[in-house]
Amino acid sequence: MMPAATRNAPDRTARIGFAFIGVLLIAVNLRVSFVSVGPVLANISSDLELSSAAAGFLTGLPLIAFAVFSPLAPGFAFRLGLDRALWMSLLILASGIVLRSLPIPGVIWAGTALIGLAIAFLNVLVPSLVKRDFPMRVSQVTGGYTATQAAFAAIGAAVVVPVAQTSPAGWRLALGIWVGLALIAMAALLPWLRRHRTGTALGTSHNTAPEHTYRSPWSSALGWQVTIFMGLQSIAFYVLMAWLPTIERSQGVPATTAGVHLSVFLLISVFASLATGGILHRGSDQRLVSFTGGALTFVTFLGLALAPDLILLWVILGAIGCGSLIVIALSLFSLRTVNHPQAASLSGMAQSVGYGLAAMGPVMFGGLRDVSGGWTLPLLVTAGLMAVLAVTGLLAGRDRVISGSA
């Protein structure tokens, strides 16, 4: 007679495979619905008669929502259960995408706010899902879903303009089509909800006893180290996304070339995320890879300030640095915690602070540009922040977890 462990092995493999597909389907929804606004922002502004300030607020609203709502995600999941919370977040996301595209005055703001709320919850809860279902493969799975979200963000940025130009509905259809991705993920996760219907709390996994007891990361030095690491790496990415094309244009780089450089940045970051996910678990801790990622962003901003003629080199180094840092930051939520409820709590804390800094970073960078009249000061200040990031990586990368004695 076949042993039970042998009989159950194919079922276990199938469950793990289905769970991984579920993570990837959630990941494709994490960026594309809000990064696709930028390429058609001029169309939106013209159609809705938005001022430059209002247009800027529209693009920044999701980041503000990330900062405000991320701490609420663990409580939301505790009440509904992790799987139901993820599914409900996808439903909120789908509703926001549809609402944003309706030709009704004012609903674009409500829809954008719902999108920000939904993605804030998904951003926080996915690392908890990875901690629960892939405790031995955190870095690989995190690298995979991070690369997936970046790849679909790049696809969305490339597709949205042609769709807007060829459709009578214009930008509304171009932004509305992404509801299909949310609906696909919701449909795929429905069987998972039924499988986990008896586990209603965030701490309940596969019908086991709840794991409610854990130290709050808000009272932990290690929790704050991970949070600062998350925030500073967010500044690096969003400053480059917001200002790199403008910096290049001021150096005489044609707009088309600057656009190509941005595409190169996104593409390289995808491969950097995958590579980092593959190597992150191989050492005894994450200090070296965390420091290296921070050092690359430091060199990127320092190089942009002191040797702007080597722009493509800095684009490549910045892409490698940013692509690796986001995987490290997201992996630390699981690697530095004792269970998946604590991972959700740390994720909520770090992403709230992190996206708050991400929202302020480009504004601060632009303010320093206005004060100094050039790019050198803001680039050097940001390089200084990246030096702090590298040092913080040495602290957050130590092989420790947030426990009662952390």
Side-chain angles (χ1 to χ4, degrees), residues 50-75:
L50 299 180
S51 64
S52 296
F57 182 68
L58 182 66
T59 59
L61 186 56
L63 290 177
I64 296 171
F66 296 168
V68 172
F69 293 116
S70 290
L72 305 180

Side-chain angles (χ1 to χ4, degrees), residues 125-189:
L125 297 179
V126 168
S128 181
L129 178 66
V130 173
K131 174 74 171 180
R132 188 192 73 182
D133 291 348
F134 306 95
M136 305 305 295
R137 295 182 175 273
V138 167
S139 59
Q140 299 98 314
V141 174
T142 302
Y145 87 73
T146 303
T148 299
Q149 67 174 333
F152 272 81
I155 292 171
V159 166
V160 67
V161 172
V163 172
Q165 290 175 341
T166 57
S167 168
W171 63 267
R172 297 185 187 277
L173 178 64
L175 296 184
I177 58 175
W178 306 117
V179 71
L181 295 178
L183 294 176
I184 291 171
M186 290 169 63
L189 292 177

Side-chain angles (χ1 to χ4, degrees), residues 1-10:
M1 184 175 180
M2 185 180 296
T6 304
R7 293 197 309 270
N8 292 336

Side-chain angles (χ1 to χ4, degrees), residues 60-134:
L61 186 56
L63 290 177
I64 296 171
F66 296 168
V68 172
F69 293 116
S70 290
L72 305 180
F76 180 68
F78 180 79
R79 289 174 177 83
L80 294 181
L82 180 56
D83 300 288
R84 286 186 176 85
L86 288 164
W87 195 89
M88 286 298 298
S89 297
L90 288 167
L91 177 61
I92 295 171
L93 176 63
S95 302
I97 293 172
V98 172
L99 192 62
R100 180 179 63 179
S101 299
L102 294 177
I104 301 174
V107 297
I108 189 173
W109 300 101
T112 301
L114 284 178
I115 290 170
L117 166 64
I119 297 178
F121 281 8
L122 291 169
N123 278 335
V124 170
L125 297 179
V126 168
S128 181
L129 178 66
V130 173
K131 174 74 171 180
R132 188 192 73 182
D133 291 348
F134 306 95

Side-chain angles (χ1 to χ4, degrees), residues 188-355:
L189 292 177
L190 273 177
W192 203 245
L193 293 185
R194 298 190 185 99
R195 183 185 297 272
H196 293 86
R197 61 184 178 274
T198 58
T200 57
L202 174 61
T204 305
S205 173
H206 302 150
N207 302 331
T208 59
E211 300 174 292
H212 294 163
T213 303
Y214 59 87
R215 181 180 179 183
S216 170
W218 293 91
S219 63
S220 164
L222 180 56
W224 279 104
Q225 290 158 10
V226 173
T227 295
I228 293 170
F229 185 86
M230 175 68 186
L232 292 179
Q233 69 84 28
S234 297
I235 286 179
F237 178 79
Y238 285 102
V239 164
L240 288 172
M241 287 296 97
W243 288 106
L244 183 59
T246 305
I247 293 172
E248 292 195 53
R249 293 294 302 278
S250 70
Q251 300 293 337
V253 177
T256 302
T257 304
V260 170
H261 286 172
L262 195 60
S263 298
V264 169
F265 181 98
L266 292 170
L267 182 63
I268 292 176
S269 69
V270 170
F271 291 102
S273 294
L274 288 171
T276 302
I279 66 175
L280 196 59
H281 68 291
R282 295 189 178 181
S284 59
D285 57 41
Q286 293 75 44
R287 286 179 294 178
L288 178 60
V289 67
S290 299
F291 179 82
T292 302
L296 285 173
T297 58
F298 168 77
V299 171
T300 296
F301 285 101
L302 188 66
L304 287 170
L306 302 182
D309 291 342
L310 301 176
I311 187 71
L312 186 56
L313 174 61
W314 312 133
V315 167
I316 293 172
L317 293 182
I320 296 172
C322 289
S324 64
L325 286 169
I326 184 61
V327 174
I328 299 167
L330 295 176
S331 296
L332 290 177
F333 302 157
S334 296
L335 296 172
R336 296 295 167 269
T337 51
V338 296
N339 53 32
H340 67 270
Q342 190 184 49
S345 183
L346 177 58
S347 180
M349 170 186 173
Q351 297 202 54
S352 175
V353 176
Y355 284 115

